[in-house]
Amino acid sequence: MAIKYVYDFTEGGRDLKDLLGGKGANLAEMTNLGLPVPPGFVITTEACKAYLVSGSEPTELAAEVTEHLVDLEKQMGKALGQADDPLLVSVRSGAKFSMPGMMDTVLNIGLNDASVEGLAKQGGNDRFAWDSYRRLVSMFGKTVLGVDGDLFEHALEDLKKSKGTTNDLDLDADDFRTLIGTFKGIVSEYAGREFPQDPREQLDLAVRAVFDSWNGDRARLYRRQERIPADLGTAVNVCSMVFGNLGMDSGTGVAFTRDPSSGDQGVYGDYLQNAQGEDVVAGIRNTLPLADLESLDKASYDQLLGIMSTLEKHYRDLCDIEFTIERGKLWMLQTRVGKRTAAAAFRIATQLVDEGLISEDEALQRVSGAQLAQLMFPRFGDISQAKKIGRGMGASPGAAVGKAVFSSATAEEWATRGESVILVRRETNPDDLGGMIAAEGILTSRGGKTSHAAVVARGMGKTCVCGAEELEVDLRARRFTAPDGSVVNEGDVISIDGTSGQVFLGQVEVAPSPVVRYFEGELAADSDELVAAVHRLLARADAVRRMKVRANSDTPEDSERARRFGAQGIGLCRTEHMFLGERRKHVERLILAEGDDERESALAALLPLQREDFIGIFEAMDGLPVTVRLIDPPLHEFLPDYTELSVKVAVAEATGTGVNPDDTALLEAVKRLHEANPMLGLRGVRLGLVIPGLFALQVRAIAEAAAELKKQGKDPQPEIMIPLVGAVQELEIVREEAEGVLEQVKAETGVDVPALIGTMIELPRAALTAGMIAEAAEFFSFGTNDLTQTTWGFSRDDVEASFFTSYLDQGIFGVSPFESLDREGVGRLVRIAVEEGRRTRPGIKIGVCGEHGGDPESVHFFDEVGLDYVSCSPFRVPVARLEAGRASAGSEGSDSR
């Protein structure tokens, strides 16, 4: 059966996003709902994928486009580009997931030197026709023919300057005729060809340009940032044009059914009279609030509000809507589930539950762990002493402090060297994406809440202030001037508040977020609407999740915080941190010990210190399990640096001041313990097998601490974890020793301390022989950091700095495997270990304690393969709780990317 590459708007629906892309599927859905949508058709993502593979369009595509174009011409009663009354179309990208401004759009296809006259006659408006034509020439030149868009922008600015204006609306038809001649000259000079006069050639080239834009630099960068798969392709939407630039009774706008910044209900959006759609998004002219449309065109306003209500109830979510009014007639150009800030996501999810539109489990799918993490970031505290120098619209919340920079390239360069920057622009465009990602926040002097800067910043969780008109931004001089005369040069520190829209000179101190204060117990759950929403959704996540959530913690203080944040135990207590500082000298004595007596003396000095460490942690986690990992790093990490020690000894010898015998002994020990690759050398279980008494000391400290607390009526639940096991024989030897120590402590104290004994799975061999290891292990905990290193053959400290950026750019990684678990490789080892471990020991407890335990996407994988718990840093515990609940609650749910 032949593949169908083109669908009419009447043929599709929102369930066909994979095939028609989000924009096309939603245009079809609105058409089926009977809403006023200009007629058109969609070229599918399958056509794009075929083009990207072969470099040419499928052979059947041209005929299918012709067939649908003819049908469209019959429906509209006019032909594409006909001289006396031309049909014009827009050509827009539309991937499955929203990628605002990242791919290409061309409006007014079908205009040429002849049809522009017909359009002027039919519209009764010369200015409108020539304005539309100049837009086509510049958009086509930039998007399709690859001409630098600044060339067209500079020509327009020069014309306005010569007319003594800064406003496009002050230009007349003759001005645009002159400008079009200039634009055509730019195309001829820089594209090496004339602007095409054949309407069908314009259409075909525009479609190809949209296909190509899928692999454009900014689209690839955005996909990496948003973790959108690279193989989806984009659809192309061909839609009959309606015109918002016919006069002051026409216009274009963007509306949200709720405030995408806060989640508040009301009338939100921007409207621009006598304009086409890109004017609103580009922020070239500052817009009117949508509410002002009521006084300009009440009939269209009322109809729009009715449609907004219909769409929100139909999609059961916040909707983002683009519309045009053509001489009092309202047309819907797009709808999608709207991007929103993290705060808005939580508020809207709970509002929709209360309105009966979605269930509590669906509400969990409308928020994410990444959004919850954003809400935990600090915000500005006391601003009474801060110097306010301007104010715009709070487009994306947060508190951002950094050095002002005035170009995307500078933002990227400075951020690479570790500096915090605020990207300052008149308005952003898709080419600024790299700088927007690098910056702590974005400040623009133009545009509104629906401008490019606002939409992209909200999607990335980046602080943004837009439309700060009172700031005079001079990009060439790399500075801006505030109304009070303050001048901010590139490199000066500024602070921006993405909630209030305020801009401050200098650094403003930040304060903890109310969500963190709630977790700390400082605020009640009903203290404000946002905290209440977070509390409610986390409570639902806790109620439905299968996996438990523990924390990685090495101190009583961190353990107490973890418990406040909802941890159900400690999944990783690293003991090596307990040997640093003043205790290092005891480790040095242990390493230098020449006989049993010296070794026993060093161990005896460490025992009470270790015991006190564990008492504090077990107390903080009373009644909950605490997994203690026995010492893991190579011993040389506890010794002085080889070079520094060598210099110290050499200087003492050269100056005759006398060499300290301890330094000489230490130097010999450092030489003896030196390894070419210490991370694969004498560490983990190997230490316990090579250095007599080391693991026994730690097990005794654990047991004595637990016994002491049990005598006080407390309920310590220690678990002893052996690191870096690769063979079951290693674990069997250490386990036998540990069980002997536990029995000794029981005999000495009269207290039974049952402690599970298990191992970390952090080597490929351990994962592949998990069935055998489970014979000696009562639990597994995946150390996914080392498992990733040893599976890939990576040294994390080296590779992330040396070539990971190149791997990401070339698409080898979609995301770093240290950030989100590599499901195909490392994930397969995890799956094998779980299956084989449980085949040997059905009740074995299995968790993960690597950094992936707090990564939202990885948490879903761990739920899928049947882990009992994840463990992460205390601060990420709420994130893991939420994601574990989302994993149990069901599907991907509504997509608000």
Side-chain angles (χ1 to χ4, degrees):
M1 184 176 177
I3 297 176
K4 180 178 171 67
Y5 286 118
V6 184
Y7 285 71
D8 189 86
F9 287 169
T10 59
E11 296 180 280
R14 63 174 172 170
D15 295 334
L16 294 181
K17 284 175 105 177
D18 286 335
L19 186 65
L20 305 182
K23 187 174 296 180
N26 288 326
L27 283 167
E29 189 75 11
M30 288 195 295
T31 299
N32 295 333
L33 287 172
L35 301 181
V37 176
F41 55 87
V42 185
I43 301 170
T44 68
T45 57
E46 290 300 318
C48 176
K49 287 189 275 191
Y51 170 81
L52 295 174
V53 169
S54 67
S56 60
E57 295 87 346
T59 53
E60 309 93 332
L61 182 60
E64 283 194 58
V65 169
T66 297
E67 177 186 344
H68 282 78
L69 181 60
V70 168
D71 288 345
L72 180 61
E73 289 174 334
K74 288 178 181 176
Q75 189 175 354
M76 301 299 293
K78 59 182 75 173
L80 181 69
Q82 73 181 38
D84 59 339
D85 185 12
L87 168 66
L88 305 184
V89 297
S90 62
V91 175
R92 298 175 183 263
S93 62
K96 176 182 179 180
F97 299 115
S98 176
M99 296 172 57
M102 298 304 123
M103 291 181 292
D104 289 335
T105 292
V106 184
L107 306 181
N108 305 321
I109 292 285
L111 277 177
N112 55 27
D113 292 348
S115 62
V116 67
E117 300 286 359
L119 183 66
K121 183 177 179 181
Q122 289 298 323
N125 186 329
D126 280 5
R127 185 193 182 280
F128 143 72
W130 290 96
D131 177 33
S132 299
Y133 193 17
R134 66 95 181 176
R135 292 171 184 268
L136 170 63
V137 177
S138 61
M139 292 181 81
F140 196 94
K142 177 184 177 181
T143 299
V144 180
L145 301 179
V147 178
D148 184 352
D150 286 344
L151 296 170
F152 299 111
E153 186 64 28
H154 292 157
L156 174 60
E157 292 298 320
D158 289 344
L159 176 61
K160 287 192 289 187
K161 188 175 181 180
S162 71
K163 299 279 290 187
T165 184
T166 58
N167 194 331
D168 295 4
L169 297 181
D170 292 331
L171 302 180
D172 59 25
D174 288 336
D175 293 324
F176 286 131
R177 286 190 183 94
T178 300
L179 188 61
I180 288 166
T182 304
F183 281 3
K184 285 182 180 178
I186 291 171
V187 169
S188 178
E189 179 178 354
Y190 291 94
R193 62 157 295 170
E194 299 301 318
F195 173 78
Q197 294 292 306
D198 178 2
R200 182 55 190 267
E201 182 185 10
Q202 293 176 8
L203 176 61
D204 291 341
L205 289 176
V207 169
R208 179 175 293 186
V210 172
F211 285 163
D212 286 333
S213 70
W214 174 256
N215 280 331
D217 289 343
R218 64 180 187 248
R220 287 188 297 179
L221 180 60
Y222 187 84
R223 286 200 298 271
R224 280 207 308 273
Q225 175 76 11
E226 298 296 311
R227 300 187 184 181
I228 296 172
D231 59 356
L232 298 179
T234 180
V236 181
N237 302 280
V238 179
C239 185
S240 51
M241 285 292 302
V242 290
F243 300 98
N245 58 334
L246 270 167
M248 299 306 284
D249 61 350
S250 303
T252 189
V254 176
F256 295 93
T257 56
R258 299 176 194 234
D259 187 341
S261 292
S262 67
D264 292 341
Q265 295 173 278
V267 180
Y268 296 96
D270 298 316
Y271 182 68
L272 199 55
Q273 289 178 280
N274 199 13
Q276 285 197 321
E278 76 272 16
D279 295 338
V280 175
V281 177
I284 292 169
R285 285 160 50 196
N286 283 330
T287 56
L288 299 172
L290 183 62
D292 287 4
L293 177 60
E294 183 176 19
S295 61
L296 298 172
D297 184 346
K298 187 170 184 351
S300 294
Y301 176 79
D302 290 342
Q303 184 185 7
L304 176 64
L305 292 191
I307 290 173
M308 289 166 64
S309 176
T310 296
L311 288 173
E312 183 171 271
K313 287 182 172 64
H314 184 71
Y315 282 88
R316 300 182 307 127
D317 208 343
L318 160 70
C319 289
D320 170 353
I321 297 162
E322 293 182 18
F323 66 93
T324 282
I325 297 173
E326 181 181 282
R327 289 181 171 165
K329 167 67 175 173
L330 176 66
W331 293 98
M332 307 306 295
L333 304 184
Q334 177 174 322
T335 191
R336 60 191 172 198
V337 171
K339 291 186 180 295
R340 66 209 70 185
T341 65
F346 276 83
R347 288 191 181 109
I348 290 170
T350 53
Q351 289 166 5
L352 294 175
V353 171
D354 293 340
E355 293 165 25
L357 291 175
I358 62 175
S359 69
E360 286 191 322
D361 285 352
E362 286 177 295
L364 281 180
Q365 307 308 324
R366 303 292 177 88
V367 297
S368 71
Q371 289 170 328
L372 179 55
Q374 288 176 27
L375 295 180
M376 296 170 71
F377 293 149
R379 55 197 59 198
F380 290 138
D382 181 12
I383 60 171
S384 60
Q385 302 302 312
K387 182 177 180 180
K388 177 185 166 187
I389 56 173
R391 186 168 196 151
M393 296 180 217
S396 185
V401 180
K403 294 180 178 180
V405 296
F406 292 83
S407 74
S408 181
T410 305
E412 293 183 77
E413 177 189 344
W414 289 22
T416 299
R417 65 192 195 208
E419 299 196 56
S420 297
V421 299
I422 305 292
L423 179 62
V424 183
R425 305 284 287 164
R426 289 197 187 102
E427 69 276 335
T428 63
N429 62 56
D431 293 330
D432 288 318
L433 181 63
M436 296 174 75
I437 291 173
E440 298 295 316
I442 299 112
L443 169 64
T444 71
S445 61
R446 299 176 183 170
K449 287 189 176 183
T450 58
S451 65
H452 173 268
V455 172
V456 174
R458 277 196 297 273
M460 293 193 298
K462 200 73 84 165
T463 299
C464 180
V465 173
C466 286
E469 298 178 20
E470 55 195 7
L471 302 180
E472 185 181 323
V473 177
D474 187 337
L475 296 178
R476 292 181 181 175
R478 293 181 175 268
R479 68 186 181 201
F480 71 80
T481 305
D484 66 356
S486 299
V487 176
V488 173
N489 293 297
E490 189 158 79
D492 292 345
V493 174
I494 59 173
S495 302
I496 62 173
D497 186 332
T499 301
S500 68
Q502 295 179 100
V503 182
F504 303 96
L505 184 63
Q507 180 171 339
V508 177
E509 293 302 315
V510 295
S513 81
V515 172
V516 169
R517 295 183 63 204
Y518 156 66
F519 290 139
E520 292 284 14
E522 299 172 10
L523 292 179
D526 59 357
S527 57
D528 75 22
E529 186 183 353
L530 174 59
V531 169
V534 170
H535 168 79
R536 184 172 169 185
L537 291 176
L538 267 179
R540 181 60 185 172
D542 289 339
V544 301
R545 63 183 164 91
R546 182 190 59 79
M547 288 193 302
K548 294 186 180 298
V549 177
R550 300 191 191 183
N552 300 341
S553 171
D554 311 332
T555 67
E557 295 75 22
D558 276 352
S559 300
E560 289 167 359
R561 163 172 273 192
R563 191 159 193 162
R564 290 195 298 272
F565 279 39
Q568 296 163 290
I570 299 297
L572 175 64
C573 174
R574 306 173 187 87
T575 55
E576 55 268 17
H577 295 167
M578 302 172 182
F579 291 112
L580 301 176
E582 289 297 315
R583 304 180 187 185
R584 188 187 294 268
K585 63 178 180 290
H586 300 304
V587 181
E588 292 178 357
R589 286 176 56 206
L590 177 63
I591 295 169
L592 296 174
E594 295 183 355
D596 291 345
D597 291 344
E598 289 187 17
R599 183 170 56 252
E600 290 297 330
S601 174
L603 292 170
L606 286 167
L607 177 62
L609 301 174
Q610 279 267 273
R611 184 170 56 236
E612 289 304 311
D613 292 330
F614 294 134
I615 286 174
I617 292 172
F618 292 159
E619 270 192 306
M621 282 290 159
D622 187 43
L624 296 174
V626 176
T627 303
V628 180
R629 182 180 74 183
L630 303 187
I631 190 167
D632 182 40
L635 286 182
H636 78 84
E637 290 193 10
F638 301 98
L639 296 174
D641 178 76
Y642 174 70
T643 302
E644 291 180 5
L645 195 56
S646 297
V647 170
K648 182 178 180 182
V649 171
V651 169
E653 289 175 343
T655 58
T657 55
V659 178
N660 186 328
D662 288 344
D663 288 340
T664 303
L666 270 176
L667 182 58
E668 289 303 314
V670 171
K671 288 179 181 178
R672 185 177 74 250
L673 292 171
H674 175 74
E675 295 175 298
N677 192 342
M679 296 311 292
L680 296 178
L682 181 59
R683 55 171 288 220
V685 67
R686 301 156 195 171
L687 286 171
L689 296 173
V690 171
I691 301 178
L694 178 59
F695 277 6
L697 153 78
Q698 294 194 286
V699 174
R700 174 171 284 277
I702 292 168
E704 290 181 357
E708 183 174 326
L709 290 174
K710 275 201 157 191
K711 288 179 179 178
Q712 299 174 18
K714 299 189 184 304
D715 181 24
Q717 298 182 17
E719 300 176 347
I720 298 168
M721 183 159 68
I722 317 302
L724 213 72
V725 166
V728 66
Q729 293 86 349
E730 294 172 315
L731 181 58
E732 287 171 341
I733 294 169
V734 174
R735 175 171 181 158
E736 184 178 357
E737 180 186 32
E739 288 175 335
V741 172
L742 292 174
E743 285 299 317
Q744 290 173 13
V745 172
K746 177 180 178 181
E748 294 164 5
T749 63
V751 178
D752 184 19
V753 181
L756 296 180
I757 299 175
T759 184
M760 289 185 82
I761 303 291
E762 48 192 330
L763 295 174
R765 191 181 192 280
L768 295 171
T769 62
M772 291 185 286
I773 292 175
E775 294 174 1
E778 294 175 287
F779 67 87
F780 288 164
S781 182
F782 289 98
T784 51
N785 300 340
D786 273 355
L787 188 57
T788 298
Q789 291 195 96
T790 52
T791 300
W792 278 92
F794 287 154
S795 169
R796 179 174 184 174
D797 292 340
D798 296 322
V799 299
E800 287 192 315
S802 60
F803 63 81
F804 264 32
T805 300
S806 175
Y807 267 42
L808 289 165
D809 287 341
Q810 296 181 64
I812 297 170
F813 297 149
V815 63
S816 165
F818 292 108
E819 181 181 340
S820 194
L821 192 81
D822 159 31
R823 291 189 176 213
E824 291 76 20
V826 178
R828 187 175 181 197
L829 290 173
V830 170
R831 195 182 294 272
I832 290 169
V834 171
E835 291 172 355
E836 295 197 359
R838 288 206 167 120
R839 191 176 301 131
T840 298
R841 189 187 290 261
I844 191 170
K845 186 187 297 185
I846 304 179
V848 59
C849 60
E851 290 180 24
H852 297 99
D855 169 61
E857 290 193 14
S858 303
V859 169
H860 286 253
F861 173 78
F862 297 135
D863 182 77
E864 177 188 319
V865 298
L867 267 58
D868 296 302
Y869 68 86
V870 296
S871 189
C872 55
S873 68
F875 197 76
R876 297 184 87 179
V877 164
V879 172
R881 287 167 55 199
L882 180 68
E883 288 298 345
R886 293 182 71 233
S888 294
S891 64
E892 294 179 1
S894 173
D895 179 79
S896 57
R897 277 191 283 188

